[in-house]
Amino acid sequence: MKNFCTINYYKKFLKNARIRRYCTGTDNKNKIKIDNIRNIGILAHIDAGKTTTTERMLFYSGTIRSMGEVHHGNTVTDYMEQERQRGITITSAAVSFPWRHSQINLIDTPGHIDFTMEVEQSLAVLDGAVVVLDASAGVEAQTLTVWRQASGYRVPRLLYLNKMDRADADALACKKSIEDKLRVVPLMLHSPITHEGKLIGLIDIVTKEQVLWKLGRGQNYERRKLTEKQDGRQWEATLNNHTSLIDTLSSLDDQLADTIIQQESLDNIDKKEIDAAIRRCTIDMKAFPVLCGSSYKNIGVQTLMDAVIDYLPSPIERNSLYSSFGEDLSARAFKVQHDDQRGVLTFLRLYSGEFTKGQKIYNLARDCSEQTGSLYVALADEYRPVEKVTAGNIAVVSALKATMSGDLLTGTQAAASRARGVLARRLQDPGEVEALLQPSAKLRLQGMDAEPTPEEVADVLLGIGTTIPDPVFLCSIEPPSISYQNALDTALAELQREDPSLRVYSDEESGQMVLAGMGELHLEIIKERIIREYKIDVELGPPQISYREALAGRSRATLAVDRKIGSARQTVKVDMSATSRKGVTQDKVLKLDKSADSAANLAHIHPRYMTAIRQGVSTALLHGPKLGCQLVEVQVTLHWFEVGRGTSESVVAATVVQCLRKVFEEADSILLEPVMSLEIVCPESHAARVMADLARRRAEIQHIHMRHNNKVIECIAPLSELLGYSSSLRSLSSGLAGFTMEFHSNRQMAPHDEEKAIKNVTGF
């Protein structure tokens, strides 16, 4: 035991020893101007090289003294034990480092679909992103997912073609996959230089220079201008690429087009003007720069960091929503973490004002004030105490009890009211509304019964959080004995606060505690964390599928309750109907009958009874009549409501639940199963066996194409048929195939599949 502790101590000591303390823009003597700050994220498909790229950035900026490797389990940003054992990123990590008299605040995000919530939370606070592609594979399944997420938050992006040292790397094929799959305009800024089949450097197409890295750890590289006499074909190819780049830019950027017209030539355009045009196109998302490199071979990382500074926006070039706060503090929480020594840590992105240690804050989403504790700047799992953090930076604060991921914070309630007023006045301009609305905010506004006022739009924009995906996997969770139940409840509450995509509830019929998550790996990691961090030896039941139910028809019922509870008489009468309605939003689930008699009756419902009715509707929809699964795409209509004096809200809610259960049983329901988008990459020699297996799993083949010597099979398959698919695919392909999947939709099941699902869940 003593030796084990000593080894762990020295591992920690060595890790800390190689981290050079870098002072971010928090102290006056080292203050960095806000226009020299870049808040970026690294996004990618699993195993594209995000963490390796981040590690190189930290090393070349001088923040760490030596580079770690993912396969050695000693990188700075993969600090959790599970991340080091599995070689994957599970939780997002924030690091800050200097580059070219600027500061880059970087968030390394997971690539696995089970942890997509971490990406969603991070994207909400980023000013720009680097999307890493495997140069041998191009745009992959999870690349499409993170690209859609980033587009939803309107985040400008660079693309980095990593692993260019591989024999099957192909920059032109990657460019075509970007055009075909992402449907955007790529700006190729690099082309690779190889010598005897090995990557040795890059050609900078903007400057027409050769960039060669010297042997070693990649700190030393040199630039040389290409010449027609010395470089021949390489010069000619680079000139054609340069002309093509300028031609594409001039078609997108008017300022560069005017310069070309004045010069009457595409030649001899100043580098500063080209860079400025690329920057404008990137920020406006008209085009996306594409860079090349191999992070593992220490080539191209410095030029990538140069591009982050040159082309991605600073905080003042983004986030016009937060300019409504003026000089007042505005900060968005994007991550909550529990630390053994420091307690609850909340990660904040500051947009305006400054945050000081121990200050009081007002939470707009929760409508409450909180006292903060210590203030830190993060480097992965290392926290440096500071007195103050300025706008544009990422801060970590302790002691916040109510604040959740996605909440907006300011200094006082008065500051929040001022910002609401300023924003409401700005939103009277239709152009401002379109510029500021994110997809999640649009959905909230579409769900309103009447046309929203500028004040209501302002409230939605300031209160909006991140979109939480619905879980697709369920399993029971049990403590080793009843004495651990309270400790398990605490552990799960903390994990839920850290990860909003994790759901915990108690099954009414069995009394079991149920864990719901995004995948088998997600639930497995949660179990490992409870055992390792909370020392509770929990047991998980076999994974179950999270089915949904939808109504097959329409039905209406009336229920009257008249009973005496204690000394008070409780009387309620409700008349309700329900029908299936596709695409109904949460705010429109309950509808009031607008016919003459009903409208007159419903016009005078007291607000507290209206709240109880809505609560009853929400509770009733949690359990369908067929399998007790949540009902979706249902609209409930209230036709009549009578209530006696002194009747409690709980009786009203219970009556609504009973009435709706009667309605649902009469209407009957159909079972919906989660269907997944699946991408399988396997050698051509094994493709026939894999496709035959997919046919047995009720898969619908969407598209098949070749990627080098591998077949890429894109299909849609029910999640119930994919339990344990990883092991099956390894057996079928002799360990040579791989797959990724993400949630596609909930679909109606065939009658015999429905019977099979009911038997699996109920046992009969």
Side-chain angles (χ1 to χ4, degrees):
M1 184 68 184
K2 185 178 177 182
N3 290 340
F4 176 75
C5 294
T6 306
I7 289 165
N8 273 349
Y9 170 79
Y10 278 112
K11 274 187 179 177
K12 185 88 173 170
F13 174 80
L14 289 169
K15 183 193 166 194
N16 292 343
R18 65 190 186 89
I19 296 177
R20 286 180 183 162
R21 299 295 184 187
Y22 168 60
C23 192
T24 61
T26 52
D27 301 309
N28 290 331
K29 62 182 179 181
N30 288 310
K31 193 169 183 180
I32 290 182
K33 291 180 181 177
I34 193 167
D35 53 359
N36 287 335
I37 294 173
R38 301 289 182 272
N39 288 301
I40 68 163
I42 294 212
L43 314 172
H45 185 87
I46 190 168
D47 283 339
K50 297 178 302 300
T51 303
T52 302
T53 303
T54 304
E55 192 76 7
R56 271 33 177 194
M57 286 179 169
L58 291 171
F59 176 68
Y60 296 133
S61 66
T63 308
I64 59 176
R65 298 179 188 275
S66 62
M67 291 182 283
E69 301 291 354
V70 172
H71 53 275
H72 291 155
N74 61 349
T75 57
V76 171
T77 51
D78 281 356
Y79 54 82
M80 284 174 62
E81 194 64 38
Q82 291 91 338
E83 291 177 315
R84 294 183 168 181
Q85 286 176 353
R86 295 169 183 267
I88 61 169
T89 303
I90 292 167
T91 183
S92 55
V95 291
S96 297
F97 53 89
W99 189 251
R100 274 178 37 192
H101 309 294
S102 299
Q103 177 184 310
I104 298 175
N105 298 324
L106 182 146
I107 299 175
D108 181 23
T109 63
H112 202 286
I113 188 64
D114 283 21
F115 310 108
T116 192
M117 190 65 213
E118 290 280 342
V119 181
E120 189 81 29
Q121 290 178 140
S122 303
L123 278 168
V125 299
L126 297 178
D127 296 327
V130 175
V131 179
V132 182
L133 303 185
D134 181 338
S136 64
V139 175
E140 299 176 87
Q142 184 66 0
T143 316
L144 283 165
T145 303
V146 296
W147 190 270
R148 281 196 300 268
Q149 287 175 308
S151 296
Y153 289 99
R154 296 184 182 143
V155 177
R157 280 144 279 171
L158 306 174
L159 291 118
Y160 174 57
L161 306 184
N162 191 24
K163 304 188 181 181
M164 284 301 302
D165 59 302
R166 288 182 54 156
D168 54 354
D170 189 335
L172 292 178
C174 287
K175 181 187 176 187
K176 190 174 187 311
S177 78
I178 291 166
E179 291 169 335
D180 294 346
K181 294 185 178 181
L182 302 182
R183 301 188 183 280
V184 296
V185 179
L187 301 172
M188 292 298 293
L189 305 187
H190 290 160
S191 60
I193 302 172
T194 56
H195 177 67
E196 296 178 354
K198 289 185 178 179
L199 181 74
I200 58 169
L202 307 167
I203 290 174
D204 187 331
I205 294 170
V206 174
T207 60
K208 294 176 280 190
E209 290 178 333
Q210 194 181 61
V211 190
L212 295 175
W213 272 260
K214 295 181 180 179
L215 292 174
R217 296 195 291 177
Q219 296 111 312
N220 301 317
Y221 60 98
E222 57 184 28
R223 287 178 173 267
R224 179 181 68 81
K225 273 278 185 187
L226 293 172
T227 61
E228 188 175 5
K229 184 178 178 180
Q230 189 176 343
D231 299 291
R233 285 185 184 175
Q234 201 173 63
W235 158 260
E236 193 177 326
T238 302
L239 193 61
N240 288 338
N241 290 335
H242 179 80
T243 305
S244 176
L245 175 66
I246 300 299
D247 191 40
T248 304
L249 280 170
S250 61
S251 68
L252 299 168
D253 185 76
D254 292 339
Q255 290 185 42
L256 186 66
D258 292 341
T259 303
I260 292 169
I261 291 167
Q262 289 168 13
Q263 292 189 3
E264 298 181 350
S265 171
L266 289 174
D267 302 325
N268 302 319
I269 297 173
D270 188 58
K271 178 187 180 295
K272 287 184 179 177
E273 294 197 36
I274 299 172
D275 281 344
I278 295 170
R279 182 179 179 81
R280 286 190 294 271
C281 288
T282 305
I283 292 173
D284 294 339
M285 287 182 285
K286 294 177 181 176
F288 299 86
V290 181
L291 300 100
C292 298
S294 171
S295 299
Y296 184 60
K297 297 293 183 181
N298 308 321
I299 292 174
V301 177
Q302 293 96 326
T303 47
L304 174 62
M305 290 195 283
D306 288 340
V308 166
I309 301 297
D310 290 337
Y311 307 134
L312 290 180
S314 68
I316 54 175
E317 292 171 290
R318 292 259 301 159
N319 312 307
S320 55
L321 167 67
Y322 304 98
S323 61
S324 305
F325 286 87
E327 295 296 313
D328 291 324
L329 168 71
S330 64
R332 181 78 72 180
F334 67 92
K335 182 178 170 71
V336 177
Q337 188 172 304
H338 291 80
D339 186 90
D340 290 342
Q341 280 77 39
R342 301 172 185 89
V344 179
L345 297 177
T346 307
F347 288 68
L348 306 174
R349 160 71 199 278
L350 270 64
Y351 293 101
S352 63
E354 59 181 34
F355 208 110
T356 54
K357 178 183 174 183
Q359 84 168 75
K360 202 170 185 180
I361 56 99
Y362 174 73
N363 187 323
L364 280 81
R366 313 283 160 196
D367 190 23
C368 67
S369 295
E370 288 195 82
Q371 182 68 45
T372 63
S374 301
L375 182 64
Y376 305 97
V377 171
L379 181 69
D381 61 338
E382 298 293 318
Y383 302 96
R384 187 171 62 83
V386 291
E387 294 297 317
K388 180 176 71 175
V389 176
T390 55
N393 284 293
I394 291 171
V396 184
V397 296
S398 65
L400 292 179
K401 293 181 174 65
T403 300
M404 302 283 281
S405 176
D407 290 355
L408 184 62
L409 313 177
T410 187
T412 62
Q413 193 166 358
S417 300
R418 282 195 298 272
R420 274 197 188 98
V422 172
L423 186 56
R425 288 192 292 275
R426 288 173 58 195
L427 290 169
Q428 290 171 359
D429 175 6
E432 283 280 325
V433 176
E434 191 57 37
L436 293 172
L437 279 187
Q438 292 174 353
S440 49
K442 283 183 181 176
L443 282 173
R444 286 273 295 276
L445 294 172
Q446 286 166 5
M448 293 184 175
D449 292 326
E451 184 68 26
T453 63
E455 288 76 15
E456 288 173 330
V457 176
D459 283 343
V460 167
L461 283 170
L462 293 173
I464 202 78
T466 48
T467 307
I468 301 172
D470 287 329
V472 291
F473 266 103
L474 308 171
C475 69
S476 60
I477 181 168
E478 295 287 343
S481 69
I482 196 68
S483 60
Y484 284 93
Q485 187 63 53
N486 289 338
L488 179 60
D489 291 343
T490 303
L492 289 171
E494 289 184 0
L495 290 170
Q496 269 187 288
R497 194 174 171 197
E498 286 185 19
D499 181 1
S501 66
L502 178 71
R503 313 281 174 87
V504 182
Y505 63 91
S506 182
D507 186 274
E508 287 183 5
E509 291 181 10
S510 65
Q512 281 188 311
M513 190 178 285
V514 178
L515 208 58
M518 301 305 297
E520 289 179 275
L521 179 62
H522 186 198
L523 298 178
E524 196 178 317
I525 294 293
I526 293 297
K527 177 188 174 181
E528 286 180 15
R529 287 192 64 188
I530 293 171
I531 293 170
R532 189 178 294 275
E533 296 173 25
Y534 296 93
K535 307 293 187 286
I536 306 169
D537 195 12
V538 293
E539 285 295 329
L540 296 188
Q544 301 287 330
I545 307 302
S546 179
Y547 293 103
R548 296 285 186 267
E549 292 184 40
L551 292 184
R554 186 180 189 279
S555 183
R556 181 170 172 173
T558 302
L559 182 67
V561 171
D562 185 355
R563 63 184 61 169
K564 195 172 183 181
I565 301 174
S567 59
R569 193 172 191 80
Q570 310 281 330
T571 57
V572 187
K573 182 181 180 182
V574 289
D575 181 4
M576 306 184 87
S577 67
T579 187
S580 180
R581 179 66 57 87
K582 283 196 177 295
V584 66
T585 57
Q586 189 63 36
D587 296 331
K588 289 187 176 178
V589 168
L590 177 63
K591 187 177 82 168
L592 302 182
D593 190 343
K594 289 187 169 59
S595 63
D597 291 344
S598 296
N601 167 258
L602 301 176
H604 305 293
I605 300 178
H606 194 281
R608 66 190 178 92
Y609 286 134
M610 199 68 232
T611 303
I613 292 167
R614 291 186 188 280
Q615 185 185 337
V617 170
S618 299
T619 304
L621 290 173
L622 291 175
H623 302 283
K626 183 159 282 184
L627 203 55
C629 302
Q630 184 181 341
L631 277 157
V632 293
E633 296 179 341
V634 174
Q635 188 165 53
V636 174
T637 305
L638 179 64
H639 301 282
W640 194 265
F641 179 73
E642 291 177 19
V643 64
R645 181 174 295 197
T647 302
S648 70
E649 293 92 357
S650 58
V651 171
V652 171
T655 306
V656 168
V657 171
Q658 288 178 38
C659 181
L660 283 177
R661 283 187 178 161
K662 190 176 173 184
V663 169
F664 297 156
E665 282 170 13
E666 288 176 4
D668 201 14
S669 70
I670 53 175
L671 213 55
L672 306 176
E673 64 177 343
V675 174
M676 312 300 283
S677 287
L678 203 63
E679 183 184 86
I680 301 153
V681 181
C682 69
E684 197 172 3
S685 56
H686 294 76
R689 294 177 67 193
V690 170
M691 288 177 68
D693 179 65
L694 287 172
R696 287 194 294 273
R697 294 176 187 270
R698 296 191 282 134
E700 297 173 24
I701 305 296
Q702 303 287 305
H703 185 54
I704 300 172
H705 63 274
M706 293 298 295
R707 184 190 292 164
H708 308 300
N709 296 321
N710 290 325
K711 262 195 177 174
V712 180
I713 304 163
E714 294 172 10
C715 63
I716 294 172
L719 180 60
S720 58
E721 302 288 349
L722 297 174
L723 292 173
Y725 185 60
S726 180
S727 302
S728 300
L729 185 62
R730 274 198 300 270
S731 302
L732 288 167
S733 65
S734 304
L736 299 172
F739 80 101
T740 55
M741 68 177 179
E742 65 172 319
F743 177 73
H744 180 271
S745 61
N746 285 308
R747 282 195 181 177
Q748 184 177 346
M749 302 175 73
H752 65 279
D753 292 325
E754 192 176 283
E755 285 177 21
K756 185 180 171 185
I758 292 170
K759 186 178 178 182
N760 286 339
V761 174
T762 62
F764 54 87

